[in-house]
Amino acid sequence: MAFRRRNKSYPFFSQEFLIQNHADIVFSLVIFILIGLMFEATAKTAILFIQPQYNITTLSLEGEVTTYQYGWKDCATILFYFFIAIILHAVVQEYLLDKVNRRLHLSKSKNTKFNESGQLCVFHLVSSVWSFYILITEGYLLHPSSLWENYPHSHLRFQVKFFYLTQLAYWLHALPELYFQKVRKEEMPRQLQYICLYLLHISAAYLLNLNRVGLVLLFLQYVSELGFHIARLLYFTDENHQKMFDLWAVSFVFTRMATLTLMFLAVGFGLARSENQGLNLEMGDFNTVLIRMTVLLVVCLTQSWLLWKFIRFQLRRWREFRHEQAFRKKAAKQPLRQLKRDSLGHHENGVLKAENGLSPRTKKLKSP
């Protein structure tokens, strides 16, 4: 199964060969793991990569309920969906974004940003819909107090655990994609910053059993980022489409305020009043003053940094808008000056003629 058009063949084990065929190589690894399910000797090992582990079945009034915890075996599951993310990335790039790029004829810098926004637009759309579905079915939106009550939330439903595993797999796959997509060195620091921030916050919410609060925050963040990348895609297709950036600016500020409010409400007040206070690794309880203050500090610093970048971005847009307006006014005055100049006479055979048809008197140069 080829994901890329082979315009040129490269020698095996070369850098160009790896970049051109990385999706096919990963696809072969996925097929190899799936074939392992067909044999009894390897089925138990192969299932570690595909299905979430650490399931616990308990009896309730509704019948048998299966919940999940986390452990080191989750690394195998994350690795498998890490491979799946690379394959899906190649599919979206080849069959969607590359076809649009050929029609737009963008420059290299804009082409890189277009591909980045296109990939993230698909991911944020799927993740925001998926997280919203989980929030509705689990009842977290209708009962906000459930975000901190009965902590620690160490027993996860299948859809919650699978959501977190796929989120970690996607943002881990974004690191090698910087190499496979040949991202410029100037763009590397910016992309590494938000990839590492996502990995840090998602891992902390998953490992500290703050998964309910993390779901709400991820939903708000993904909806806001979806608006930004849609606005950027529309801007690359037509530079006159800038109203979406204004809508995104409103949603960005709202997301920052909602994130800070929810974190102080859930972690700063809700968990502080919880009956379970103390550190218990076996129960998954991390409700201590030090951990709560550390979590709040990291979130506040991240939101402040994002707001600072947002303000700089808006100021740069405002300066570019003022410069463009001044250039348009200057361009509008130039035809008027040209009309005044042409009203004094006209050119005929390369010689300036007055309105009466006579050539103007040439001005004598002073002798040195």
Side-chain angles (χ1 to χ4, degrees):
M1 184 177 186
F3 293 100
R4 297 280 181 180
R5 291 182 175 86
R6 306 294 186 253
N7 297 325
K8 185 180 179 181
S9 60
Y10 296 99
F12 288 99
F13 305 110
S14 65
Q15 180 180 0
E16 292 79 8
F17 178 84
L18 178 61
I19 293 175
Q20 189 183 59
N21 301 276
H22 72 277
D24 296 330
I25 297 172
V26 170
F27 184 76
S28 302
L29 293 175
V30 171
I31 294 298
F32 180 76
I33 294 174
L34 293 177
I35 291 176
L37 295 173
M38 302 173 60
F39 303 97
E40 185 177 358
T42 58
K44 292 183 179 180
T45 304
I47 203 68
L48 292 175
F49 293 90
I50 301 172
Q51 182 179 346
Q53 303 299 308
Y54 303 102
N55 56 317
I56 300 173
T57 302
T58 56
L59 294 175
S60 64
L61 297 177
E62 300 176 356
E64 292 186 352
V65 178
T66 302
T67 56
Y68 293 82
Q69 294 179 320
Y70 64 79
W72 66 269
K73 293 181 181 179
D74 291 339
C75 297
T77 310
I78 292 173
L79 179 63
F80 178 78
Y81 290 101
F82 169 86
F83 293 152
I84 297 295
I86 292 178
I87 296 173
L88 294 178
H89 188 111
V91 170
V92 173
Q93 185 67 40
E94 174 67 22
Y95 296 103
L96 181 62
L97 297 179
D98 285 348
K99 292 183 178 180
V100 178
N101 283 332
R102 295 188 192 99
R103 295 183 179 182
L104 295 178
H105 303 289
L106 299 174
S107 61
K108 288 185 178 181
S109 60
K110 288 185 177 181
N111 189 22
T112 302
K113 293 181 179 180
F114 182 87
N115 291 333
E116 177 193 1
S117 292
Q119 293 286 347
L120 290 176
C121 190
V122 174
F123 171 73
H124 289 321
L125 177 62
V126 173
S127 297
S128 59
V129 173
W130 190 3
S131 59
F132 182 74
Y133 173 78
I134 296 175
L135 292 175
I136 292 296
T137 54
E138 296 293 332
Y140 298 154
L141 291 181
L142 298 178
H143 303 88
S145 59
S146 63
L147 298 178
W148 59 83
E149 289 180 349
N150 300 322
Y151 181 85
H153 308 135
S154 57
H155 293 77
L156 308 178
R157 300 286 184 132
F158 172 80
Q159 59 180 356
V160 178
K161 178 166 183 174
F162 189 63
F163 176 81
Y164 273 97
L165 294 181
T166 52
Q167 292 296 311
L168 291 171
Y170 180 86
W171 290 112
L172 283 173
H173 112 280
L175 294 174
E177 283 295 340
L178 298 177
Y179 170 74
F180 294 143
Q181 298 297 324
K182 296 182 179 180
V183 177
R184 298 186 307 168
K185 292 182 179 180
E186 295 81 5
E187 293 290 329
M188 282 277 191
R190 180 183 61 84
Q191 297 193 30
L192 283 173
Q193 284 174 356
Y194 70 75
I195 291 173
C196 294
L197 283 175
Y198 273 115
L199 286 173
L200 173 64
H201 288 75
I202 295 173
S203 301
Y206 183 65
L207 297 176
L208 297 178
N209 291 319
L210 296 172
N211 43 76
R212 298 182 180 181
V213 180
L215 270 172
V216 180
L217 297 183
L218 282 176
F219 169 72
L220 294 174
Q221 177 67 19
Y222 286 157
V223 170
S224 175
E225 289 298 301
L226 177 64
F228 171 74
H229 291 292
I230 290 177
R232 194 155 74 161
L233 290 175
L234 293 176
Y235 174 78
F236 287 141
T237 56
D238 186 0
E239 294 186 357
N240 294 323
H241 290 293
Q242 297 193 8
K243 292 184 179 180
M244 280 294 297
F245 283 109
D246 298 331
L247 295 176
W248 164 74
V250 176
S251 67
F252 181 88
V253 176
F254 172 77
T255 302
R256 304 284 77 76
M257 297 299 105
T259 299
L260 291 174
T261 302
L262 182 61
M263 285 300 298
F264 276 101
L265 181 64
V267 178
F269 295 98
L271 293 183
R273 299 179 180 180
S274 177
E275 296 180 358
N276 298 326
Q277 298 283 339
L279 182 63
N280 191 341
L281 298 180
E282 294 183 359
M283 296 295 295
D285 191 355
F286 300 92
N287 191 10
T288 63
V289 177
L290 178 61
I291 294 178
R292 289 200 306 268
M293 292 299 102
T294 303
V295 169
L296 288 176
L297 179 62
V298 171
V299 172
C300 290
L301 289 177
T302 303
Q303 301 306 310
S304 301
W305 180 72
L306 291 174
L307 279 173
W308 170 245
K309 288 187 64 178
F310 172 77
I311 292 172
R312 290 182 59 187
F313 173 76
Q314 293 297 329
L315 289 176
R316 186 172 67 251
R317 280 191 63 208
W318 179 74
R319 287 195 297 265
E320 291 176 355
F321 177 77
R322 291 292 300 271
H323 179 72
E324 184 180 356
Q325 291 293 326
F327 179 78
R328 288 181 178 179
K329 290 181 180 179
K330 186 177 180 180
K333 291 180 180 179
Q334 285 182 352
L336 297 176
R337 295 179 181 178
Q338 188 68 25
L339 287 174
K340 291 180 180 179
R341 190 178 301 167
D342 292 345
S343 63
L344 298 176
H346 63 278
H347 290 82
E348 183 177 331
N349 295 328
V351 181
L352 182 62
K353 298 288 185 179
E355 291 184 356
N356 54 6
L358 300 177
S359 299
R361 187 185 305 175
T362 57
K363 189 175 183 180
K364 295 182 179 180
L365 296 176
K366 293 184 179 180
S367 57

